[in-house]
Amino acid sequence: DGGITQSPKYLFRKEGQNVTLSCEQNLNHDAMYWYRQDPGQGLRLIYYSQIVNDFQKGDIAEGYSVSREKKESFPLTVTSAQKNPTAFYLCASSRGVRPSLSQETQYFGPGTRLLVL
Amino acid sequence: GQNIDQPTEMTATEGAIVQINCTYQTSGFNGLFWYQQHAGEAPTFLSYNVLDGLEEKGRFSSFLSRSKGYSYLLLKELQMKDSASYLCAPRPMGGGNKLTFGTGTQLKVEL
């Protein structure tokens, strides 16, 4: 069945360590997104990609990096430069066809909860 | 910039009707989404409005007034499983499919 998967469900990071969160989709969607959610705050966009081999910074990209080498995969690396990484990380995807003219619903994966040791 | 305002919390009784309001100011406007999010889970899509008026989908309806920068989500015949956070997300113009999410309204349904 089609959908978006994220792994792991929980991830622990030590000080100064880089960690990578996985996001895979088999919906044949062109666009993919990474959000961060903190308690009492809305989802904030970290990075997004509208097509393979291309991605754009969102509102809070500092301390994060991404790659988009394959259509179905959009991994997020939380680097040691991100000083407050504890949060719930959500990956989403959408078809990516001319969003200015259409309903372009984003569908979310189950999320990864990152905790700092 | 983007500014989205939703009530933080609401409480309602099982079987009742509740209206969750959202006001927004965005750089242009290109549609508004409502999502439901249960605690610890991913948001799930509820509705989309791009023209003024009411969109009805089963127990859930969503209304939009573009001139007032206002939307609401109407939930009828409330059930306990409707206890969740409801996220308002307008889509600004010119940003591809970037959404701006409000902080969400935590709805608690009681017996």
Side-chain angles (χ1 to χ4, degrees):
Chain A
D1 52 336
I4 304 173
T5 57
Q6 291 185 243
S7 62
K9 187 171 183 178
Y10 294 94
L11 186 60
F12 298 91
R13 193 191 93 164
K14 295 179 181 178
E15 293 288 340
Q17 186 181 44
N18 292 357
V19 292
T20 297
L21 284 62
S22 168
C23 178
E24 304 277 332
Q25 53 95 3
N26 60 5
L27 301 168
N28 200 32
H29 284 174
D30 284 313
M32 297 186 75
Y33 315 80
W34 273 107
Y35 292 90
R36 168 182 174 141
Q37 188 173 36
D38 296 277
Q41 297 194 37
L43 278 70
R44 292 183 290 166
L45 184 65
I46 305 172
Y47 269 97
Y48 65 104
S49 168
Q50 293 182 308
I51 198 167
V52 175
N53 293 322
D54 184 56
F55 49 83
Q56 309 292 329
K57 291 182 179 180
D59 301 318
I60 55 164
E62 186 175 350
Y64 300 97
S65 66
V66 293
S67 63
R68 187 82 188 279
E69 297 175 1
K70 298 187 294 183
K71 186 176 185 178
E72 57 271 21
S73 179
F74 191 40
L76 173 75
T77 297
V78 184
T79 74
S80 56
Q82 172 49 243
K83 297 306 178 188
N84 186 22
T86 296
F88 188 40
Y89 289 86
L90 288 157
C91 177
S93 71
S94 65
R95 286 185 304 161
V97 291
R98 304 184 73 185
S100 63
L101 298 178
S102 67
Q103 176 180 338
E104 183 64 11
T105 302
Q106 293 185 20
Y107 297 94
F108 286 83
T112 293
R113 197 165 295 276
L114 177 63
L115 299 166
V116 176
L117 297 177
Chain B
Q2 330 295 344
N3 189 27
I4 302 164
D5 192 30
Q6 297 180 241
T8 303
E9 296 178 341
M10 298 182 72
T11 302
T13 305
E14 189 179 34
I17 300 173
V18 70
Q19 178 175 314
I20 301 174
N21 297 324
C22 171
T23 58
Y24 62 88
Q25 293 175 312
T26 58
S27 305
F29 179 79
N30 192 19
L32 185 143
F33 293 81
W34 282 94
Y35 283 84
Q36 179 193 59
Q37 185 178 26
H38 285 97
E41 297 182 9
T44 55
F45 169 73
L46 287 178
S47 68
Y48 171 74
N49 295 70
V50 67
L51 299 176
D52 291 349
L54 188 68
E55 293 279 343
E56 297 189 71
K57 191 186 292 186
R59 293 191 300 115
F60 293 6
S61 302
S62 55
F63 172 84
L64 176 68
S65 169
R66 290 172 293 172
S67 62
K68 295 181 180 178
Y70 168 67
S71 175
Y72 68 72
L73 182 69
L74 192 71
L75 291 74
K76 303 175 186 177
E77 301 171 16
L78 280 174
Q79 302 175 9
M80 298 298 288
K81 68 178 182 180
D82 297 329
S83 294
S85 183
Y86 292 86
L87 311 177
C88 170
R91 183 171 66 187
M93 189 71 75
N97 195 36
K98 291 171 60 177
L99 299 180
T100 304
F101 283 86
T103 55
T105 297
Q106 187 66 46
L107 174 66
K108 182 178 180 182
V109 180
E110 300 178 328
L111 291 172

PDB file of all heavy atoms in Angstrom, chain B residues 3-38:
ATOM      1  N   ASN B   3       0.756  35.633   9.583  1.00  0.00           N
ATOM      2  CA  ASN B   3       0.210  35.705  10.921  1.00  0.00           C
ATOM      3  C   ASN B   3      -1.082  34.914  10.933  1.00  0.00           C
ATOM      4  O   ASN B   3      -1.995  35.214  10.160  1.00  0.00           O
ATOM      5  CB  ASN B   3      -0.020  37.162  11.305  1.00  0.00           C
ATOM      6  CG  ASN B   3      -0.390  37.295  12.754  1.00  0.00           C
ATOM      7  OD1 ASN B   3      -0.016  36.461  13.558  1.00  0.00           O
ATOM      8  ND2 ASN B   3      -1.127  38.333  13.078  1.00  0.00           N
ATOM      9  N   ILE B   4      -1.148  33.895  11.791  1.00  0.00           N
ATOM     10  CA  ILE B   4      -2.315  33.030  11.870  1.00  0.00           C
ATOM     11  C   ILE B   4      -2.767  32.976  13.316  1.00  0.00           C
ATOM     12  O   ILE B   4      -1.955  32.774  14.218  1.00  0.00           O
ATOM     13  CB  ILE B   4      -1.981  31.619  11.383  1.00  0.00           C
ATOM     14  CG1 ILE B   4      -1.453  31.659   9.956  1.00  0.00           C
ATOM     15  CG2 ILE B   4      -3.194  30.711  11.472  1.00  0.00           C
ATOM     16  CD1 ILE B   4      -0.763  30.409   9.525  1.00  0.00           C
ATOM     17  N   ASP B   5      -4.062  33.160  13.538  1.00  0.00           N
ATOM     18  CA  ASP B   5      -4.588  33.195  14.890  1.00  0.00           C
ATOM     19  C   ASP B   5      -5.707  32.169  15.050  1.00  0.00           C
ATOM     20  O   ASP B   5      -6.695  32.204  14.304  1.00  0.00           O
ATOM     21  CB  ASP B   5      -5.096  34.592  15.213  1.00  0.00           C
ATOM     22  CG  ASP B   5      -5.395  34.759  16.689  1.00  0.00           C
ATOM     23  OD1 ASP B   5      -4.722  34.080  17.499  1.00  0.00           O
ATOM     24  OD2 ASP B   5      -6.278  35.543  17.033  1.00  0.00           O
ATOM     25  N   GLN B   6      -5.527  31.254  15.985  1.00  0.00           N
ATOM     26  CA  GLN B   6      -6.547  30.253  16.328  1.00  0.00           C
ATOM     27  C   GLN B   6      -6.656  30.210  17.845  1.00  0.00           C
ATOM     28  O   GLN B   6      -5.664  30.448  18.539  1.00  0.00           O
ATOM     29  CB  GLN B   6      -6.120  28.845  15.900  1.00  0.00           C
ATOM     30  CG  GLN B   6      -5.913  28.577  14.466  1.00  0.00           C
ATOM     31  CD  GLN B   6      -5.490  27.134  14.244  1.00  0.00           C
ATOM     32  OE1 GLN B   6      -4.416  26.857  13.724  1.00  0.00           O
ATOM     33  NE2 GLN B   6      -6.334  26.194  14.622  1.00  0.00           N
ATOM     34  N   PRO B   7      -7.843  29.848  18.383  1.00  0.00           N
ATOM     35  CA  PRO B   7      -7.899  29.655  19.841  1.00  0.00           C
ATOM     36  C   PRO B   7      -7.002  28.486  20.231  1.00  0.00           C
ATOM     37  O   PRO B   7      -6.856  27.511  19.503  1.00  0.00           O
ATOM     38  CB  PRO B   7      -9.386  29.335  20.086  1.00  0.00           C
ATOM     39  CG  PRO B   7      -9.929  28.920  18.770  1.00  0.00           C
ATOM     40  CD  PRO B   7      -9.135  29.634  17.728  1.00  0.00           C
ATOM     41  N   THR B   8      -6.420  28.580  21.385  1.00  0.00           N
ATOM     42  CA  THR B   8      -5.487  27.541  21.839  1.00  0.00           C
ATOM     43  C   THR B   8      -6.212  26.260  22.231  1.00  0.00           C
ATOM     44  O   THR B   8      -5.785  25.162  21.876  1.00  0.00           O
ATOM     45  CB  THR B   8      -4.681  28.048  23.036  1.00  0.00           C
ATOM     46  OG1 THR B   8      -4.010  29.243  22.660  1.00  0.00           O
ATOM     47  CG2 THR B   8      -3.652  27.020  23.471  1.00  0.00           C
ATOM     48  N   GLU B   9      -7.317  26.417  22.948  1.00  0.00           N
ATOM     49  CA  GLU B   9      -8.052  25.248  23.437  1.00  0.00           C
ATOM     50  C   GLU B   9      -9.546  25.477  23.339  1.00  0.00           C
ATOM     51  O   GLU B   9     -10.016  26.610  23.445  1.00  0.00           O
ATOM     52  CB  GLU B   9      -7.710  24.984  24.913  1.00  0.00           C
ATOM     53  CG  GLU B   9      -6.282  24.612  25.187  1.00  0.00           C
ATOM     54  CD  GLU B   9      -6.020  24.417  26.673  1.00  0.00           C
ATOM     55  OE1 GLU B   9      -6.825  24.912  27.481  1.00  0.00           O
ATOM     56  OE2 GLU B   9      -5.033  23.775  27.020  1.00  0.00           O
ATOM     57  N   MET B  10     -10.291  24.385  23.150  1.00  0.00           N
ATOM     58  CA  MET B  10     -11.743  24.420  23.185  1.00  0.00           C
ATOM     59  C   MET B  10     -12.238  23.109  23.791  1.00  0.00           C
ATOM     60  O   MET B  10     -11.598  22.063  23.613  1.00  0.00           O
ATOM     61  CB  MET B  10     -12.344  24.597  21.790  1.00  0.00           C
ATOM     62  CG  MET B  10     -11.958  25.891  21.097  1.00  0.00           C
ATOM     63  SD  MET B  10     -12.725  26.104  19.487  1.00  0.00           S
ATOM     64  CE  MET B  10     -14.417  26.439  19.966  1.00  0.00           C
ATOM     65  N   THR B  11     -13.359  23.176  24.461  1.00  0.00           N
ATOM     66  CA  THR B  11     -13.979  21.986  25.037  1.00  0.00           C
ATOM     67  C   THR B  11     -15.426  21.921  24.581  1.00  0.00           C
ATOM     68  O   THR B  11     -16.116  22.950  24.545  1.00  0.00           O
ATOM     69  CB  THR B  11     -13.916  22.020  26.573  1.00  0.00           C
ATOM     70  OG1 THR B  11     -12.546  22.117  26.978  1.00  0.00           O
ATOM     71  CG2 THR B  11     -14.517  20.752  27.159  1.00  0.00           C
ATOM     72  N   ALA B  12     -15.885  20.733  24.219  1.00  0.00           N
ATOM     73  CA  ALA B  12     -17.263  20.560  23.770  1.00  0.00           C
ATOM     74  C   ALA B  12     -17.769  19.198  24.226  1.00  0.00           C
ATOM     75  O   ALA B  12     -16.990  18.331  24.645  1.00  0.00           O
ATOM     76  CB  ALA B  12     -17.346  20.676  22.257  1.00  0.00           C
ATOM     77  N   THR B  13     -19.071  19.035  24.127  1.00  0.00           N
ATOM     78  CA  THR B  13     -19.713  17.815  24.594  1.00  0.00           C
ATOM     79  C   THR B  13     -19.980  16.855  23.438  1.00  0.00           C
ATOM     80  O   THR B  13     -20.309  17.287  22.330  1.00  0.00           O
ATOM     81  CB  THR B  13     -21.040  18.158  25.288  1.00  0.00           C
ATOM     82  OG1 THR B  13     -20.784  19.115  26.323  1.00  0.00           O
ATOM     83  CG2 THR B  13     -21.693  16.923  25.892  1.00  0.00           C
ATOM     84  N   GLU B  14     -19.866  15.597  23.717  1.00  0.00           N
ATOM     85  CA  GLU B  14     -20.159  14.581  22.709  1.00  0.00           C
ATOM     86  C   GLU B  14     -21.555  14.795  22.133  1.00  0.00           C
ATOM     87  O   GLU B  14     -22.509  15.043  22.872  1.00  0.00           O
ATOM     88  CB  GLU B  14     -20.071  13.196  23.350  1.00  0.00           C
ATOM     89  CG  GLU B  14     -20.133  12.050  22.352  1.00  0.00           C
ATOM     90  CD  GLU B  14     -20.008  10.689  23.027  1.00  0.00           C
ATOM     91  OE1 GLU B  14     -20.508  10.553  24.158  1.00  0.00           O
ATOM     92  OE2 GLU B  14     -19.430   9.786  22.417  1.00  0.00           O
ATOM     93  N   GLY B  15     -21.656  14.729  20.801  1.00  0.00           N
ATOM     94  CA  GLY B  15     -22.938  14.936  20.130  1.00  0.00           C
ATOM     95  C   GLY B  15     -23.224  16.369  19.755  1.00  0.00           C
ATOM     96  O   GLY B  15     -24.141  16.651  18.968  1.00  0.00           O
ATOM     97  N   ALA B  16     -22.450  17.295  20.281  1.00  0.00           N
ATOM     98  CA  ALA B  16     -22.682  18.720  20.018  1.00  0.00           C
ATOM     99  C   ALA B  16     -21.998  19.156  18.720  1.00  0.00           C
ATOM    100  O   ALA B  16     -21.420  18.347  17.992  1.00  0.00           O
ATOM    101  CB  ALA B  16     -22.164  19.539  21.191  1.00  0.00           C
ATOM    102  N   ILE B  17     -22.101  20.466  18.455  1.00  0.00           N
ATOM    103  CA  ILE B  17     -21.451  21.097  17.300  1.00  0.00           C
ATOM    104  C   ILE B  17     -20.411  22.077  17.824  1.00  0.00           C
ATOM    105  O   ILE B  17     -20.664  22.788  18.801  1.00  0.00           O
ATOM    106  CB  ILE B  17     -22.469  21.849  16.426  1.00  0.00           C
ATOM    107  CG1 ILE B  17     -23.532  20.894  15.888  1.00  0.00           C
ATOM    108  CG2 ILE B  17     -21.770  22.576  15.275  1.00  0.00           C
ATOM    109  CD1 ILE B  17     -24.664  21.597  15.152  1.00  0.00           C
ATOM    110  N   VAL B  18     -19.249  22.131  17.185  1.00  0.00           N
ATOM    111  CA  VAL B  18     -18.232  23.091  17.595  1.00  0.00           C
ATOM    112  C   VAL B  18     -17.665  23.776  16.353  1.00  0.00           C
ATOM    113  O   VAL B  18     -17.547  23.165  15.289  1.00  0.00           O
ATOM    114  CB  VAL B  18     -17.114  22.406  18.412  1.00  0.00           C
ATOM    115  CG1 VAL B  18     -16.264  21.503  17.532  1.00  0.00           C
ATOM    116  CG2 VAL B  18     -16.246  23.437  19.094  1.00  0.00           C
ATOM    117  N   GLN B  19     -17.361  25.057  16.506  1.00  0.00           N
ATOM    118  CA  GLN B  19     -16.776  25.849  15.413  1.00  0.00           C
ATOM    119  C   GLN B  19     -15.403  26.342  15.839  1.00  0.00           C
ATOM    120  O   GLN B  19     -15.270  27.011  16.861  1.00  0.00           O
ATOM    121  CB  GLN B  19     -17.674  27.040  15.084  1.00  0.00           C
ATOM    122  CG  GLN B  19     -17.137  27.944  13.994  1.00  0.00           C
ATOM    123  CD  GLN B  19     -18.127  29.033  13.620  1.00  0.00           C
ATOM    124  OE1 GLN B  19     -19.316  28.791  13.426  1.00  0.00           O
ATOM    125  NE2 GLN B  19     -17.646  30.256  13.511  1.00  0.00           N
ATOM    126  N   ILE B  20     -14.384  26.022  15.052  1.00  0.00           N
ATOM    127  CA  ILE B  20     -13.014  26.446  15.335  1.00  0.00           C
ATOM    128  C   ILE B  20     -12.643  27.519  14.317  1.00  0.00           C
ATOM    129  O   ILE B  20     -12.636  27.273  13.116  1.00  0.00           O
ATOM    130  CB  ILE B  20     -12.042  25.256  15.229  1.00  0.00           C
ATOM    131  CG1 ILE B  20     -12.459  24.162  16.214  1.00  0.00           C
ATOM    132  CG2 ILE B  20     -10.622  25.723  15.503  1.00  0.00           C
ATOM    133  CD1 ILE B  20     -11.641  22.893  16.087  1.00  0.00           C
ATOM    134  N   ASN B  21     -12.352  28.705  14.822  1.00  0.00           N
ATOM    135  CA  ASN B  21     -12.072  29.849  13.964  1.00  0.00           C
ATOM    136  C   ASN B  21     -10.580  30.009  13.680  1.00  0.00           C
ATOM    137  O   ASN B  21      -9.739  29.632  14.496  1.00  0.00           O
ATOM    138  CB  ASN B  21     -12.591  31.129  14.606  1.00  0.00           C
ATOM    139  CG  ASN B  21     -14.098  31.116  14.761  1.00  0.00           C
ATOM    140  OD1 ASN B  21     -14.825  30.596  13.925  1.00  0.00           O
ATOM    141  ND2 ASN B  21     -14.582  31.691  15.846  1.00  0.00           N
ATOM    142  N   CYS B  22     -10.313  30.602  12.541  1.00  0.00           N
ATOM    143  CA  CYS B  22      -8.926  30.888  12.155  1.00  0.00           C
ATOM    144  C   CYS B  22      -8.913  32.198  11.377  1.00  0.00           C
ATOM    145  O   CYS B  22      -9.644  32.345  10.403  1.00  0.00           O
ATOM    146  CB  CYS B  22      -8.368  29.757  11.287  1.00  0.00           C
ATOM    147  SG  CYS B  22      -6.756  30.089  10.538  1.00  0.00           S
ATOM    148  N   THR B  23      -8.116  33.137  11.831  1.00  0.00           N
ATOM    149  CA  THR B  23      -7.899  34.358  11.051  1.00  0.00           C
ATOM    150  C   THR B  23      -6.446  34.375  10.609  1.00  0.00           C
ATOM    151  O   THR B  23      -5.560  33.879  11.321  1.00  0.00           O
ATOM    152  CB  THR B  23      -8.217  35.627  11.855  1.00  0.00           C
ATOM    153  OG1 THR B  23      -7.402  35.657  13.033  1.00  0.00           O
ATOM    154  CG2 THR B  23      -9.670  35.671  12.258  1.00  0.00           C
ATOM    155  N   TYR B  24      -6.202  34.943   9.443  1.00  0.00           N
ATOM    156  CA  TYR B  24      -4.856  34.874   8.886  1.00  0.00           C
ATOM    157  C   TYR B  24      -4.532  36.142   8.120  1.00  0.00           C
ATOM    158  O   TYR B  24      -5.423  36.848   7.625  1.00  0.00           O
ATOM    159  CB  TYR B  24      -4.719  33.654   7.954  1.00  0.00           C
ATOM    160  CG  TYR B  24      -5.648  33.706   6.761  1.00  0.00           C
ATOM    161  CD1 TYR B  24      -5.274  34.333   5.580  1.00  0.00           C
ATOM    162  CD2 TYR B  24      -6.924  33.152   6.828  1.00  0.00           C
ATOM    163  CE1 TYR B  24      -6.134  34.409   4.501  1.00  0.00           C
ATOM    164  CE2 TYR B  24      -7.784  33.221   5.750  1.00  0.00           C
ATOM    165  CZ  TYR B  24      -7.400  33.850   4.602  1.00  0.00           C
ATOM    166  OH  TYR B  24      -8.257  33.930   3.539  1.00  0.00           O
ATOM    167  N   GLN B  25      -3.236  36.404   8.039  1.00  0.00           N
ATOM    168  CA  GLN B  25      -2.717  37.457   7.172  1.00  0.00           C
ATOM    169  C   GLN B  25      -1.529  36.833   6.463  1.00  0.00           C
ATOM    170  O   GLN B  25      -0.577  36.407   7.105  1.00  0.00           O
ATOM    171  CB  GLN B  25      -2.251  38.668   7.992  1.00  0.00           C
ATOM    172  CG  GLN B  25      -3.365  39.408   8.689  1.00  0.00           C
ATOM    173  CD  GLN B  25      -2.826  40.518   9.578  1.00  0.00           C
ATOM    174  OE1 GLN B  25      -1.905  40.299  10.350  1.00  0.00           O
ATOM    175  NE2 GLN B  25      -3.398  41.691   9.461  1.00  0.00           N
ATOM    176  N   THR B  26      -1.588  36.739   5.160  1.00  0.00           N
ATOM    177  CA  THR B  26      -0.502  36.129   4.402  1.00  0.00           C
ATOM    178  C   THR B  26      -0.104  37.017   3.233  1.00  0.00           C
ATOM    179  O   THR B  26      -0.849  37.924   2.854  1.00  0.00           O
ATOM    180  CB  THR B  26      -0.899  34.745   3.844  1.00  0.00           C
ATOM    181  OG1 THR B  26      -2.060  34.901   3.022  1.00  0.00           O
ATOM    182  CG2 THR B  26      -1.200  33.768   4.959  1.00  0.00           C
ATOM    183  N   SER B  27       1.031  36.714   2.662  1.00  0.00           N
ATOM    184  CA  SER B  27       1.504  37.421   1.470  1.00  0.00           C
ATOM    185  C   SER B  27       0.764  36.860   0.269  1.00  0.00           C
ATOM    186  O   SER B  27       1.182  35.882  -0.340  1.00  0.00           O
ATOM    187  CB  SER B  27       3.009  37.208   1.314  1.00  0.00           C
ATOM    188  OG  SER B  27       3.697  37.593   2.474  1.00  0.00           O
ATOM    189  N   GLY B  28      -0.357  37.446  -0.075  1.00  0.00           N
ATOM    190  CA  GLY B  28      -1.228  36.875  -1.100  1.00  0.00           C
ATOM    191  C   GLY B  28      -1.938  35.662  -0.511  1.00  0.00           C
ATOM    192  O   GLY B  28      -1.683  35.251   0.623  1.00  0.00           O
ATOM    193  N   PHE B  29      -2.814  35.086  -1.282  1.00  0.00           N
ATOM    194  CA  PHE B  29      -3.580  33.945  -0.769  1.00  0.00           C
ATOM    195  C   PHE B  29      -3.818  32.964  -1.898  1.00  0.00           C
ATOM    196  O   PHE B  29      -4.213  33.335  -2.998  1.00  0.00           O
ATOM    197  CB  PHE B  29      -4.915  34.426  -0.194  1.00  0.00           C
ATOM    198  CG  PHE B  29      -5.771  33.301   0.335  1.00  0.00           C
ATOM    199  CD1 PHE B  29      -5.511  32.744   1.570  1.00  0.00           C
ATOM    200  CD2 PHE B  29      -6.820  32.794  -0.423  1.00  0.00           C
ATOM    201  CE1 PHE B  29      -6.296  31.700   2.057  1.00  0.00           C
ATOM    202  CE2 PHE B  29      -7.598  31.751   0.054  1.00  0.00           C
ATOM    203  CZ  PHE B  29      -7.341  31.204   1.305  1.00  0.00           C
ATOM    204  N   ASN B  30      -3.578  31.710  -1.592  1.00  0.00           N
ATOM    205  CA  ASN B  30      -3.735  30.674  -2.616  1.00  0.00           C
ATOM    206  C   ASN B  30      -4.316  29.404  -2.014  1.00  0.00           C
ATOM    207  O   ASN B  30      -3.818  28.315  -2.231  1.00  0.00           O
ATOM    208  CB  ASN B  30      -2.378  30.403  -3.273  1.00  0.00           C
ATOM    209  CG  ASN B  30      -2.495  29.564  -4.525  1.00  0.00           C
ATOM    210  OD1 ASN B  30      -3.553  29.456  -5.127  1.00  0.00           O
ATOM    211  ND2 ASN B  30      -1.398  28.940  -4.911  1.00  0.00           N
ATOM    212  N   GLY B  31      -5.352  29.567  -1.196  1.00  0.00           N
ATOM    213  CA  GLY B  31      -6.020  28.405  -0.622  1.00  0.00           C
ATOM    214  C   GLY B  31      -5.699  28.217   0.851  1.00  0.00           C
ATOM    215  O   GLY B  31      -4.692  28.723   1.364  1.00  0.00           O
ATOM    216  N   LEU B  32      -6.569  27.516   1.553  1.00  0.00           N
ATOM    217  CA  LEU B  32      -6.385  27.262   2.979  1.00  0.00           C
ATOM    218  C   LEU B  32      -6.755  25.823   3.288  1.00  0.00           C
ATOM    219  O   LEU B  32      -7.791  25.330   2.850  1.00  0.00           O
ATOM    220  CB  LEU B  32      -7.244  28.239   3.796  1.00  0.00           C
ATOM    221  CG  LEU B  32      -7.073  28.172   5.322  1.00  0.00           C
ATOM    222  CD1 LEU B  32      -7.174  29.575   5.923  1.00  0.00           C
ATOM    223  CD2 LEU B  32      -8.076  27.251   5.964  1.00  0.00           C
ATOM    224  N   PHE B  33      -5.888  25.182   4.055  1.00  0.00           N
ATOM    225  CA  PHE B  33      -6.075  23.777   4.429  1.00  0.00           C
ATOM    226  C   PHE B  33      -6.383  23.684   5.920  1.00  0.00           C
ATOM    227  O   PHE B  33      -5.910  24.483   6.722  1.00  0.00           O
ATOM    228  CB  PHE B  33      -4.792  22.976   4.156  1.00  0.00           C
ATOM    229  CG  PHE B  33      -4.444  22.834   2.710  1.00  0.00           C
ATOM    230  CD1 PHE B  33      -3.807  23.852   2.023  1.00  0.00           C
ATOM    231  CD2 PHE B  33      -4.743  21.661   2.024  1.00  0.00           C
ATOM    232  CE1 PHE B  33      -3.465  23.718   0.683  1.00  0.00           C
ATOM    233  CE2 PHE B  33      -4.405  21.516   0.689  1.00  0.00           C
ATOM    234  CZ  PHE B  33      -3.768  22.549   0.020  1.00  0.00           C
ATOM    235  N   TRP B  34      -7.169  22.679   6.263  1.00  0.00           N
ATOM    236  CA  TRP B  34      -7.364  22.283   7.658  1.00  0.00           C
ATOM    237  C   TRP B  34      -6.872  20.838   7.815  1.00  0.00           C
ATOM    238  O   TRP B  34      -7.184  19.960   6.998  1.00  0.00           O
ATOM    239  CB  TRP B  34      -8.826  22.349   8.076  1.00  0.00           C
ATOM    240  CG  TRP B  34      -9.341  23.724   8.364  1.00  0.00           C
ATOM    241  CD1 TRP B  34      -9.990  24.566   7.512  1.00  0.00           C
ATOM    242  CD2 TRP B  34      -9.263  24.403   9.621  1.00  0.00           C
ATOM    243  NE1 TRP B  34     -10.323  25.736   8.146  1.00  0.00           N
ATOM    244  CE2 TRP B  34      -9.898  25.663   9.457  1.00  0.00           C
ATOM    245  CE3 TRP B  34      -8.744  24.091  10.873  1.00  0.00           C
ATOM    246  CZ2 TRP B  34     -10.011  26.602  10.482  1.00  0.00           C
ATOM    247  CZ3 TRP B  34      -8.852  25.021  11.901  1.00  0.00           C
ATOM    248  CH2 TRP B  34      -9.488  26.258  11.704  1.00  0.00           C
ATOM    249  N   TYR B  35      -6.095  20.643   8.888  1.00  0.00           N
ATOM    250  CA  TYR B  35      -5.590  19.315   9.223  1.00  0.00           C
ATOM    251  C   TYR B  35      -6.014  18.960  10.640  1.00  0.00           C
ATOM    252  O   TYR B  35      -6.172  19.833  11.499  1.00  0.00           O
ATOM    253  CB  TYR B  35      -4.060  19.268   9.148  1.00  0.00           C
ATOM    254  CG  TYR B  35      -3.484  19.193   7.751  1.00  0.00           C
ATOM    255  CD1 TYR B  35      -3.290  20.337   6.983  1.00  0.00           C
ATOM    256  CD2 TYR B  35      -3.105  17.967   7.204  1.00  0.00           C
ATOM    257  CE1 TYR B  35      -2.750  20.263   5.708  1.00  0.00           C
ATOM    258  CE2 TYR B  35      -2.555  17.886   5.930  1.00  0.00           C
ATOM    259  CZ  TYR B  35      -2.382  19.033   5.188  1.00  0.00           C
ATOM    260  OH  TYR B  35      -1.840  18.955   3.929  1.00  0.00           O
ATOM    261  N   GLN B  36      -6.157  17.660  10.879  1.00  0.00           N
ATOM    262  CA  GLN B  36      -6.394  17.136  12.229  1.00  0.00           C
ATOM    263  C   GLN B  36      -5.138  16.411  12.686  1.00  0.00           C
ATOM    264  O   GLN B  36      -4.537  15.665  11.907  1.00  0.00           O
ATOM    265  CB  GLN B  36      -7.570  16.157  12.200  1.00  0.00           C
ATOM    266  CG  GLN B  36      -7.908  15.528  13.544  1.00  0.00           C
ATOM    267  CD  GLN B  36      -8.862  14.350  13.403  1.00  0.00           C
ATOM    268  OE1 GLN B  36      -8.569  13.377  12.737  1.00  0.00           O
ATOM    269  NE2 GLN B  36     -10.031  14.470  14.027  1.00  0.00           N
ATOM    270  N   GLN B  37      -4.759  16.625  13.947  1.00  0.00           N
ATOM    271  CA  GLN B  37      -3.580  15.933  14.467  1.00  0.00           C
ATOM    272  C   GLN B  37      -3.870  15.386  15.859  1.00  0.00           C
ATOM    273  O   GLN B  37      -4.067  16.155  16.808  1.00  0.00           O
ATOM    274  CB  GLN B  37      -2.365  16.866  14.507  1.00  0.00           C
ATOM    275  CG  GLN B  37      -1.081  16.164  14.915  1.00  0.00           C
ATOM    276  CD  GLN B  37       0.132  17.072  14.916  1.00  0.00           C
ATOM    277  OE1 GLN B  37       0.010  18.277  15.080  1.00  0.00           O
ATOM    278  NE2 GLN B  37       1.313  16.493  14.743  1.00  0.00           N
ATOM    279  N   HIS B  38      -3.868  14.065  15.979  1.00  0.00           N
ATOM    280  CA  HIS B  38      -3.975  13.449  17.290  1.00  0.00           C
ATOM    281  C   HIS B  38      -2.605  13.475  17.947  1.00  0.00           C
ATOM    282  O   HIS B  38      -1.568  13.482  17.268  1.00  0.00           O
ATOM    283  CB  HIS B  38      -4.492  12.015  17.183  1.00  0.00           C
ATOM    284  CG  HIS B  38      -5.956  11.940  16.889  1.00  0.00           C
ATOM    285  ND1 HIS B  38      -6.454  11.758  15.617  1.00  0.00           N
ATOM    286  CD2 HIS B  38      -7.040  12.052  17.695  1.00  0.00           C
ATOM    287  CE1 HIS B  38      -7.780  11.736  15.655  1.00  0.00           C
ATOM    288  NE2 HIS B  38      -8.163  11.923  16.909  1.00  0.00           N
TER     289      HIS B  38
END
